[in-house]
Amino acid sequence: MVCGKFITLEGVDGAGKSTQLEHLVTLLRQNGLTVVVTREPGGTVLGERLRALLLDQASVMHPETEALLMFAARREHLDKVIIPALHKGSWVISDRFTDASFAYQGSGRGLSSGKLALLEQWVQNDLQPDLTLYFDVPVELGRQRVNISRAPDRFEQEQQVFFQRVRDGYLERAKQYPKRIHVIDARQTENSVKQEVAGILELLLKRT
């Protein structure tokens, strides 16, 4: 039986996910909860190796190969980290999960949602996050916020039109799952976003 709760954070780079993740962890721990923080792609030894391959500029791959590697890393992530932690009663927070695949590999790369849905069902069965926070920001603003002091990875080097498709994919996914995915306007001040996150979390805690 799954006892803990699973929360995912989504959004393009520059939306402020990292800052809000730290805030969310603090709020949960203040409520006496055990929190496991992880990320995708990654989260396991194999997952981090696949992450390095997926982000490496030198990696040239078919979009379907990219999607399959993402879901391979996810299968390990679920088996080694997410499901065991939930069974122990921990709350798991993941920086990105399957919604990112529908946004990046689906809308961004042009893969059909049908193929991704098959992979989703195969890898996850019926497991879905209890709550997803999608931090929405216009692509141009997000890219302005990102200060890359290193060479951009495979995704960061994509053109603005790619990230616009990704954003559109996220918003479409949010329309499909309005009870799970909360769209947060990340153009707001950091404190305003924190207050909104705290309000959403409070509702989830009351249902627990």
Side-chain angles (χ1 to χ4, degrees), residues 56-76:
D56 189 348
Q57 274 198 35
S59 296
V60 179
M61 63 185 74
H62 190 280
E64 290 183 353
T65 303
E66 181 179 284
L68 289 167
L69 289 175
M70 287 287 186
F71 275 95
R74 184 164 298 131
R75 179 61 262 178
E76 285 295 298

Side-chain angles (χ1 to χ4, degrees), residues 32-102:
L33 297 166
T34 301
V35 182
V36 173
V37 180
T38 188
R39 68 176 181 177
E40 288 208 349
T44 66
V45 174
L46 177 58
E48 291 298 327
R49 290 178 179 176
L50 290 173
R51 178 188 180 88
L53 179 64
L54 284 159
L55 299 188
D56 189 348
Q57 274 198 35
S59 296
V60 179
M61 63 185 74
H62 190 280
E64 290 183 353
T65 303
E66 181 179 284
L68 289 167
L69 289 175
M70 287 287 186
F71 275 95
R74 184 164 298 131
R75 179 61 262 178
E76 285 295 298
H77 197 199
L78 285 162
D79 182 62
K80 302 294 193 302
V81 178
I82 296 173
I83 293 175
L86 292 174
H87 284 171
K88 290 178 181 178
S90 301
W91 284 49
V92 179
I93 303 177
S94 181
D95 183 348
R96 295 203 171 106
F97 192 59
T98 305
D99 295 311
S101 292
F102 280 86

